[in-house]
Structure formats: C-alpha cells, structure tokens
Amino acid sequence: MGKNDRDWIPDATDLDFIESLARPLPPALAAIEAAARMPRVPIVDRDTGRVLAVLAGGRRRIVEVGTAYGYSTLWMAYGQGPDGRIVTIDPDQSRTDLARSWWRQGGIADEQITVVNAPALDAFAAADPALAGPFDLAFIDALKPEYERYFDALRGRLAPGALVIADNVLWSGRVSGARPVDPSDANTNALRAFDRAILADMGFLGTILPLGDGLLIATVRA
Ligand SMILES: C[S@@+](CC[C@H](N)C(=O)[O-])C[C@H]1O[C@@H](n2cnc3c(N)ncnc32)[C@H](O)[C@@H]1O
C-alpha cells in the first residue's frame, strides 16, 4: 500500500463542480487557448493557469522562462494586479508579438510585461538589467534538458521567500515510470534529475503538485 492510497479520488463530477465555481474565463485567455490548438503550441492547461494566478498574488516581480503565446504570463499578470511586473523570455518573437496583442486585449498595460527575445541561458549570461532581479516568483516552462541550468541561473536572483515553479515535471507519467519510456529519452532524464535536485536542495522547500503535466513548486527557505 502506498502512502497515498485513499478511498476517494476526484472524478468528473468533482471537476465539473470546481469548474462551476470558477469565474468566467477572460476573453483574451479564451482567445489564446483557441489559437494554441491549431497549429498546436504547448501551453499550461487552464487549471494550472488558475493556480499560477493564485500563486502570483502579492508577488510583484516575476520572471518567466518560456512565453509562447503568453497564456501563463497573462494568468500571472491577472493574479498580480496592475502594480506587478513580469519579465518573460522566449527567443521566438513571432509568438511573443502575438502574446503582446492578447495581453493588450486582456487589459494589461505594456509596462507590466517585458519580453526578452533570446534563449534564456544566453539572456541570463548577458547581464541584461531586466533580468537582474530580485524576483518574487520564477516560472520555468521552456526546454526540458535546460531546466536545471535555468534554476542555477535563477537562484541568485530570487528574493527571500520567493517561489520557483516549473511545469511538465511529471512529463505525462514518463518521469515516474508510470508510462513506458526509452531509457535514453533526454527530456525524461533531465526532468527526473531536475525534480530530484530541487526537492533535495536544502535551500528550498518544495513539492510536486499532480496538476496538469506536473507542477513543481519550491520556496526559498529563510
Ligand atoms: C511550453 S512553451 C511555453 C508555454 C507558456 N509558458 C504557457 O504556458 O503559455 C515553451 C516555449 O519555450 C520557448 N523556448 C524554446 N527555447 C527556449 C530557450 N532556450 N529559452 C527560452 N525559451 C525557449 C519556445 O519558443 C516555446 O514558446
């Protein structure tokens, strides 16, 4: 018997109940969801977006690695409110230009979100003042084999009590072995190493929420 054996797990009725209590989805977020379906652009799922908004509340300075169409960015911007500031990194300007149009549609002032169009590791190494920090929240959602190096680059830029969040850390069951995977799969191996390293890091207190594709959250220990 595992530690998490229990006689109840949420089913569709529970999920429908949760959905029925949610506030209406802002049209800009709905527009991004629709655009990301075809051609498919990977974005966090809506439940993860809602959690990001909650976690962004009260965190004024956010850095994000991996913008795409700005869906997770917009959830966090809504959670922060107009005084918040987000710096988001993605080398694909064709995506981030579209993201900006949806952020504007969603009522977010341009100065709330700064885009850095470069590979994240280059941007961190380039001493761009926009990335100097300190940040109150860092959200990682770009190249899986680089997650540990993003974390290494970020750790010196985090404020006391800051939160680090990373998406896809269960990688659809491949990381735990629930789903068969080629042992040489680079994404799976990198995510496994990342999960182990962060949860064992004495400078952080972290866990993994079995939400979406797996959401790691870790806070800087005081
Ligand atoms: C999973 S998507 C991000 C989704 C977004 N966080 C969301 O949920 O709305 C990953 C993004 O990482 C970007 N990317 C690829 N290489 C990168 C790099 N070296 N540094 C930063 N971002 C990168 C891709 O262009 C892609 O848009």
Side-chain angles (χ1 to χ4, degrees), residues 61-161:
R61 302 157 299 183
I62 292 180
V63 59
E64 176 180 58
V65 184
T67 321
Y69 284 172
Y71 183 71
S72 49
T73 329
L74 186 53
W75 275 109
M76 293 191 289
Y78 282 143
Q80 275 184 313
D83 292 337
R85 293 291 177 266
I86 301 178
V87 184
T88 183
I89 312 170
D90 197 310
D92 188 338
Q93 195 179 341
S94 66
R95 287 184 176 180
T96 61
D97 284 352
L98 286 167
R100 176 73 70 194
S101 69
W102 284 307
W103 299 332
R104 287 180 181 152
Q105 179 193 340
I108 303 296
D110 284 358
E111 61 264 28
Q112 189 172 343
I113 303 176
T114 300
V115 174
V116 175
N117 285 126
L121 295 176
D122 293 351
F124 287 130
D128 182 338
L131 291 169
F135 294 105
D136 306 304
L137 188 158
F139 177 51
I140 298 174
D141 188 20
L143 301 180
K144 311 313 162 192
E146 294 189 353
Y147 269 30
E148 264 193 278
R149 279 182 286 158
Y150 300 148
F151 181 77
D152 289 342
L154 284 164
R155 65 186 306 151
R157 304 168 203 245
L158 299 173

Side-chain angles (χ1 to χ4, degrees), residues 168-189:
N168 306 112
V169 299
L170 294 177
W171 206 228
S172 307
R174 298 181 196 92
V175 163
S176 68
R179 186 165 156 193
V181 62
D182 176 346
S184 64
D185 182 72
N187 288 325
T188 304
N189 291 333

Side-chain angles (χ1 to χ4, degrees), residues 11-83:
D11 68 11
T13 309
D14 299 295
L15 301 182
D16 288 348
F17 172 72
I18 295 170
E19 194 62 38
S20 75
L21 298 182
R23 298 194 188 144
L25 187 71
L29 286 168
I32 302 176
E33 288 180 3
R37 265 177 226 126
M38 191 63 86
R40 190 174 175 276
V41 170
I43 59 172
V44 297
D45 67 14
R46 196 184 292 178
D47 295 331
T48 301
R50 288 187 180 129
V51 168
L52 288 175
V54 173
L55 295 177
R59 297 185 184 270
R60 228 179 59 75
R61 302 157 299 183
I62 292 180
V63 59
E64 176 180 58
V65 184
T67 321
Y69 284 172
Y71 183 71
S72 49
T73 329
L74 186 53
W75 275 109
M76 293 191 289
Y78 282 143
Q80 275 184 313
D83 292 337

